[in-house]
């Protein structure tokens, strides 16, 4: 097994990629027009018909689909093949509202698993590996996706699901897990538990594939040091299949988008204008191979930058930066845009762990923001004067980053509740 799962596709020339995308786009638009009355209605409203779409240059003529469209058309409105052709449904985690469900044909499942297999191989996986899948199994796509990908590569697959940390550690040690797949917050939790038990040198872990939620470079360094592995990012969303829409290669400098299945665009979220590579904006995807749930110009609300510079790994698919939060993740506090990822960067730079919580409230018509973060073994103190000094230091760094003041509370190690799936980092009491 080389370092690619599907070398011909992963290293295709730009011309080949564009030609393939154009051909598949034309077919997919026709498929949507014929089988999705909801989307056909949107196209008609915009005055576009399938004959207007002859290739990727015409993409911008097509209407967008938003999460709200999926909710309005719930549950069957975006299913484009008869139910008898579908073999699976999966559902979003509902991080930002009502869950969305997506349908899959067998070939949709296969291509999704192929995308995940590419991610595993890019992280150094071969059939000699033992892949420990601690993403949740079930409706959430994390477990099922990496599980299928691991099978395709031929790895020994441990379908651990999340939770039961004792059992996770026992299997990891007894079966010699080499690649760990889970959310970055759960990886950090497992890393703490492993170091507390002092069993790190009894493990064979070499790599981790972590995604489903935002995590910073600082958190990557923490996890890599804590577990003695290389930690790779993986991105995806249920609406497009699940994890594996994009994945990191050996360079760890952005995630290659599987452009043979998804066309990526970056738009200005306010004006909807398409932005060139290198500009920051909202990521929009068109799925060109999925049959059961073919989303065209789907607005992800994830904010990031695309980069088409040549990657030393040899892959030719464009790379996306780590999402810098979702457009709807962004908090507006005292009129200022605040992304949780900015706060995480400050905390980790100052040596705190990523166990933090942001509590936003409104008192007497004024927004308040409190950042609670755990002290850890390296900076723990129970001297109140010392704690106040440390809190002030965090406060100043936050003010420099965000431009507004925040209340900082250093709390005892392990006092913030851990999550086995996606971490809950923001508590916005203003909505309640
Ligand atoms: P939900 O929107 O309910 O969380 P999903 O479970 O399908 O639905 O999660 C998809 C979302 O998770 C993405 O749109 C993105 O915001 C986030 N996400 C997935 N992978 C990553 C990643 N590697 N880095 C940052 N965010 C990610
Ligand atoms: Zn690369």
């Amino acid at each position: 097994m080389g370092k690619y799962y599907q070398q011909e596709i992963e290293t295709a020339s730009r011309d080949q990629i564009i030609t393939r995308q154009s051909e598949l786009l034309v077919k997919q638009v026709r498929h949507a027009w014929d089988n999705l009355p909801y989307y056909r209605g949107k196209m008609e409203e915009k005055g576009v018909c399938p004959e207007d779409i002859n290739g990727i240059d015409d993409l911008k003529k097509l209407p967008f689909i938003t999460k709200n469209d999926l909710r309005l058309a719930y549950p069957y409105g975006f299913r484009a093949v008869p139910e008898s052709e579908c073999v699976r449904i999966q559902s979003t985690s509902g991080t930002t509202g009502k869950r969305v469900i997506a349908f899959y044909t067998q070939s949709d499942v296969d291509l999704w698993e192929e995308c995940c297999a590419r991610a595993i191989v890019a992280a150094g996986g071969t059939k000699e590996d033992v892949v420990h899948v601690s993403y949740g199994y079930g409706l959430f796509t994390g477990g099922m996706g990496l599980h299928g990908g691991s099978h395709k590569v031929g790895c020994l697959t441990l379908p651990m699901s999340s939770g039961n940390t004792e059992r996770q550690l026992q299997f990891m040690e007894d079966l010699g897990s080499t690649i760990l797949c889970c959310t970055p917050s759960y990886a950090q939790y497992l890393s703490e538990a492993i170091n507390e038990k002092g069993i790190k040198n009894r493990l064979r872990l070499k790599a981790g594939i972590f995604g489903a939620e935002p995590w910073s470079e600082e958190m990557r360094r923490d996890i890599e040091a804590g577990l003695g592995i290389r930690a790779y990012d993986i991105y995806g969303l249920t609406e497009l299949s699940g994890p594996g829409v994009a994945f990191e290669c050996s360079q760890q400098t952005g995630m290659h988008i599987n452009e043979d299945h998804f066309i990526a665009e970056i738009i200005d979220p306010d004006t909807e204008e398409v932005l060139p590579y290198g500009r920051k904006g909202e990521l929009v995807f068109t799925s060109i191979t999925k049959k059961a749930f073919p989303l065209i110009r789907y607005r992800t609300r994830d904010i990031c930058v695309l980069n088409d510079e040549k990657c030393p790994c040899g892959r030719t698919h464009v790379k996306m930066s780590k999402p810098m939060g979702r457009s709807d993740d962004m908090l507006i506090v005292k009129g200022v845009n605040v992304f949780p990822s900015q706060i995480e960067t400050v905390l980790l730079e100052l040596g705190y762990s990523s166990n933090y919580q942001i509590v936003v409230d409104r008192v007497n018509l004024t927004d308040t923001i409190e950042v609670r973060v755990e002290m850890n073994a390296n900076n723990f103190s129970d001297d109140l004067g010392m704690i106040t000094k440390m809190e002030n230091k965090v406060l100043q760094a936050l003010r420099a980053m965000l431009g507004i003041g925040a209340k900082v509370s250093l709390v005892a190690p392990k006092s913030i509740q851990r999550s086995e799936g996606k971490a809950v980092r923001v508590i916005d009491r203003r909505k309640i």
Side-chain angles (χ1 to χ4, degrees):
M1 174 80 53
K3 59 178 179 151
Y4 306 106
Y5 179 68
Q6 287 167 321
Q7 179 159 7
E8 262 175 47
I9 295 170
E10 293 180 78
T11 62
S13 70
R14 283 312 299 169
D15 282 351
Q16 285 170 326
I17 294 169
I18 303 291
T19 308
R20 177 184 158 101
Q21 286 186 333
S22 289
E23 284 170 13
L24 290 172
L25 175 68
V26 171
K27 284 193 193 145
Q28 191 72 313
V29 170
R30 168 60 68 184
H31 176 52
W33 174 271
D34 290 344
N35 298 294
L36 295 180
Y38 187 98
Y39 193 67
R40 181 181 180 141
K42 289 196 89 154
M43 283 176 67
E44 282 168 345
E45 229 169 75
K46 242 193 147 202
V48 204
C49 58
E51 289 70 33
D52 299 326
I53 309 300
N54 298 305
I56 187 167
D57 291 338
D58 298 322
L59 188 60
K60 53 185 177 301
K61 296 180 184 162
L62 290 159
F64 292 103
I65 299 175
T66 64
K67 202 154 196 154
N68 202 38
D69 287 317
L70 301 187
R71 287 181 184 138
L72 288 173
Y74 175 91
Y76 296 123
F78 278 90
R79 196 191 69 209
V81 300
E83 191 163 287
S84 57
E85 297 298 308
C86 297
V87 298
R88 176 94 65 81
I89 70 148
Q90 301 279 167
S91 156
T92 62
S93 332
T95 313
T96 56
K98 191 177 164 194
R99 286 167 184 264
V100 164
I101 57 169
F103 294 84
Y104 302 71
T105 62
Q106 183 57 50
S107 89
D108 294 341
V109 172
D110 284 337
L111 69 87
W112 171 28
E113 292 178 352
E114 268 170 16
C115 290
C116 290
R118 290 180 196 169
I120 292 171
V121 173
T126 70
K127 64 197 266 297
E128 310 303 329
D129 279 291
V130 179
V131 174
H132 190 110
V133 185
S134 307
Y135 282 109
Y137 277 64
L139 286 170
F140 173 58
T141 51
M144 306 295 280
L146 268 310
H147 178 97
S150 171
H151 272 234
K152 283 226 176 336
V153 179
C155 310
L156 175 62
T157 310
L158 309 189
M160 301 301 303
S161 198
S162 57
N164 201 337
T165 303
E166 274 302 308
R167 189 176 60 194
Q168 302 272 0
L169 301 191
Q170 189 197 331
F171 275 50
M172 214 176 254
E173 183 178 343
D174 295 349
L175 297 171
S177 306
T178 55
I179 299 180
L180 172 65
C181 305
C182 59
T183 57
S185 46
Y186 195 46
Q188 194 137 38
Y189 180 59
L190 289 171
S191 160
E192 276 178 15
I194 286 165
N195 286 295
E196 232 160 60
K197 283 189 95 177
I199 57 166
K200 183 170 160 189
N201 58 8
R202 303 214 292 262
L203 303 181
R204 289 179 55 215
L205 284 180
K206 63 174 191 190
I209 302 177
F210 307 128
E213 65 184 7
W215 52 309
S216 58
E217 284 303 327
E218 292 77 8
M219 192 159 164
R220 187 206 305 267
R221 284 196 284 277
D222 251 27
I223 295 174
E224 290 193 330
L227 289 173
I229 60 170
R230 289 191 70 184
Y232 299 91
D233 203 351
I234 184 165
Y235 168 90
L237 52 163
T238 314
E239 297 89 320
L240 293 173
S241 56
V245 170
F247 62 88
E248 252 180 2
C249 63
S250 53
Q251 305 300 306
Q252 297 176 300
T253 50
M255 296 176 268
H256 289 285
I257 293 172
N258 284 311
E259 287 186 285
D260 51 327
H261 299 298
F262 308 103
I263 304 175
E265 296 171 277
I266 289 282
I267 62 163
D268 177 320
D270 299 321
T271 64
E272 299 190 338
E273 177 203 354
V274 179
L275 302 176
Y277 287 149
R279 290 275 301 281
K280 183 164 110 182
E282 179 180 344
L283 194 50
V284 171
F285 280 112
T286 297
S287 102
I288 44 177
T289 48
K290 275 191 69 174
K291 287 289 167 244
F293 205 71
L295 294 192
I296 293 168
R297 300 198 91 194
Y298 180 63
R299 292 186 59 166
T300 63
R301 298 181 298 179
D302 292 322
I303 304 293
C304 79
V305 177
L306 295 181
N307 170 2
D308 65 344
E309 276 164 34
K310 212 166 170 240
C311 185
C313 80
R315 287 180 184 76
T316 45
H317 290 163
V318 296
K319 291 199 283 194
M320 58 179 272
S321 65
K322 274 180 175 299
M324 302 153 193
R326 302 186 187 197
S327 53
D328 53 3
D329 229 21
M330 185 184 78
L331 293 161
I332 302 184
V333 182
K334 299 178 190 168
V336 174
N337 297 350
V338 174
F339 284 100
S341 56
Q342 296 174 301
I343 296 180
E344 179 173 309
T345 299
V346 168
L347 297 177
L348 288 159
E349 269 172 4
L350 292 176
Y352 293 91
S353 70
S354 61
N355 296 312
Y356 64 91
Q357 236 163 16
I358 303 164
V359 185
V360 187
D361 208 342
R362 185 163 289 160
V363 182
N364 298 332
L365 299 177
T366 307
D367 290 342
T368 60
I369 176 165
E370 179 186 359
V371 177
R372 294 183 185 151
V373 59
E374 287 180 5
M375 291 178 277
N376 53 36
N378 300 330
N379 55 26
F380 181 76
S381 169
D382 50 12
D383 170 347
L384 287 183
M386 186 63 195
I387 293 181
T388 309
K389 256 195 199 156
M390 288 158 58
E391 285 173 343
N392 276 333
K393 203 168 161 205
V394 179
L395 171 72
Q396 275 161 23
L398 286 175
R399 193 192 295 279
M401 170 71 98
L402 309 173
I404 51 168
K407 177 170 187 247
V408 176
S409 307
L410 295 183
V411 298
K414 302 215 176 318
S415 59
I416 293 177
Q417 203 185 352
R418 299 294 190 271
S419 151
E420 288 163 356
K422 298 196 188 210
V424 180
R425 297 240 159 85
V426 178
I427 301 171
D428 193 341
R429 299 213 167 105
R430 293 175 300 181
K431 288 180 197 146
I432 300 166

